[in-house]
Amino acid sequence: MSASDFPGNRTLDILYKAEREGYGILAQICYDAGMAIALVRAAERARSPAILQMFPITLAYGGGPFLKFCLDLAHQASVPIAVHLDHATDPEHLELALGLAEQGIAFDSIMVDASHAETDEENIEVARPYVERARKAGIPVEVELGRLEGGEAGLRVISDAKLTNPVKAEAFMKGTGAIILAPSIGNLHGSYLNPPNFRQSILQDLNKVFKSKVPICLHGTDELPDALFVECIKNGVSKSWARDPYAKALGEGLLAKPFPEAQEAATEAFAAACERFFTLFGSVGKA
């Protein structure tokens, strides 16, 4: 499967341009409308492309109406913004996303996460039918080779990480039929109890194999040092995300301010965090 199978796809257009020009894309998880509005507001101010990401638990909560809201918000922005479903692992979440797509409410891309499988072959076997169904709906798919430890926000908790083997990556992508790759390089979901130890050589090897063909996306980037983000982007990563202050700002604001003021303050706190990462990732003015 290649980009030619998805002409005009927002996610792929955004990621391929970022790879060509050597900057990173902030793909930020949004749990509610305020966070989605903040991301779009920040992207427009920075003239930066971005990806609005949603976890399956949020899709299950808001359903088609919330997805449609996010799609309308992103697609009507004055800069390129795609909407992506992250870490869709359970069949009911994949069925919900693909069912909505078949009704005309389609993510720009989804991640079919079968990294919990015991072997690469099982990962391929689980992912392939969903990848094929997504392709028929015009949706490119991201897959994970290897396995990240940790868990968060409704994601299943994994305790035994497996690093990505770059030698197997080409056959894995061909086997799944997917077009976007999330590798395991020592990254993990949730907070790092010890300083992160990322194997940059894995990214470098993957970049040699997949440059201009398969975008590389980095997960497990909570609280990373700025320099590590920059190094990963230099070694071929085109999509990453980071934590935000939205919930803390909203919670504190609601105790002291009227709801609209608290919501606006939280929105601006989140927007400021996004703008910082647009600058760090080098995407300011790239829209």
Side-chain angles (χ1 to χ4, degrees):
M1 207 169 294
S2 68
S4 62
D5 294 305
F6 306 98
N9 178 265
R10 281 176 174 263
T11 298
L12 294 180
D13 286 351
I14 288 168
L15 294 181
Y16 283 132
K17 184 174 186 291
E19 184 191 63
R20 285 195 307 270
E21 299 182 19
Y23 57 89
I25 295 296
L26 177 64
Q28 186 64 58
I29 295 292
C30 294
Y31 294 105
D32 69 1
M35 297 177 80
I37 288 168
L39 175 62
V40 172
R41 182 186 293 184
E44 290 186 321
R45 284 201 298 235
R47 307 310 301 163
S48 172
I51 295 177
L52 191 166
Q53 289 196 154
M54 193 184 302
F55 277 151
I57 194 170
T58 304
L59 175 64
Y61 174 77
F66 183 62
L67 174 55
K68 190 173 187 309
F69 167 80
C70 290
L71 289 166
D72 289 344
L73 184 71
H75 295 178
Q76 292 171 23
S78 61
V79 295
I81 301 177
V83 181
H84 175 79
L85 179 63
D86 204 25
H87 287 293
T89 298
D90 297 333
E92 59 266 32
H93 294 141
L94 287 159
E95 287 296 331
L96 175 57
L98 293 171
L100 287 169
E102 288 157 0
Q103 297 170 39
I105 309 173
F107 283 95
D108 295 304
S109 52
I110 66 173
M111 181 184 187
V112 176
D113 183 0
S115 62
H116 54 280
E118 289 302 314
T119 64
D120 293 346
E121 291 73 22
E122 184 186 348
N123 189 325
I124 291 169
E125 185 179 348
V126 171
R128 181 84 194 194
Y130 293 114
V131 174
E132 285 293 331
R133 191 170 159 196
R135 181 189 61 77
K136 291 174 183 174
I139 303 173
V141 171
E142 175 184 338
V143 288
E144 185 171 311
L145 175 58
R147 183 188 297 140
L148 270 65
E149 276 190 28
E152 57 189 322
L155 304 183
R156 65 176 69 193
V157 176
I158 300 292
S159 59
D160 52 338
K162 291 198 310 185
L163 293 177
T164 297
N165 183 344
V167 174
K168 296 182 177 181
E170 199 163 18
F172 178 76
M173 294 304 288
K174 185 176 180 181
T176 60
I179 194 169
I180 304 168
L181 176 62
S184 173
I185 62 168
N187 42 333
L188 57 84
H189 292 298
S191 296
Y192 288 81
L193 300 179
N194 298 304
N197 178 22
F198 284 11
R199 279 64 160 190
Q200 295 292 339
S201 61
I202 296 176
L203 290 180
Q204 292 163 354
D205 289 344
L206 290 173
N207 196 31
K208 290 173 187 173
V209 174
F210 291 131
K211 190 170 179 63
S212 303
K213 296 181 289 186
V214 172
I216 304 299
C217 302
L218 190 64
H219 293 252
T221 54
D222 293 357
E223 305 159 5
L224 289 189
D226 286 359
L228 190 50
F229 276 115
V230 172
E231 185 180 8
C232 290
I233 290 168
K234 188 175 81 170
N235 286 327
V237 167
S238 56
K239 167 172 159 306
S240 192
W241 76 290
R243 282 290 186 192
D244 64 86
Y246 178 82
K248 183 173 185 290
L250 182 60
E252 291 174 352
L254 288 172
L255 296 175
K257 304 173 185 175
F259 185 90
E261 292 180 21
Q263 187 177 46
E264 177 61 24
T267 300
E268 274 302 306
F270 182 76
C274 293
E275 288 177 275
R276 189 182 91 77
F277 282 101
F278 294 146
T279 300
L280 179 65
F281 293 178
S283 66
V284 173
K286 299 295 186 179

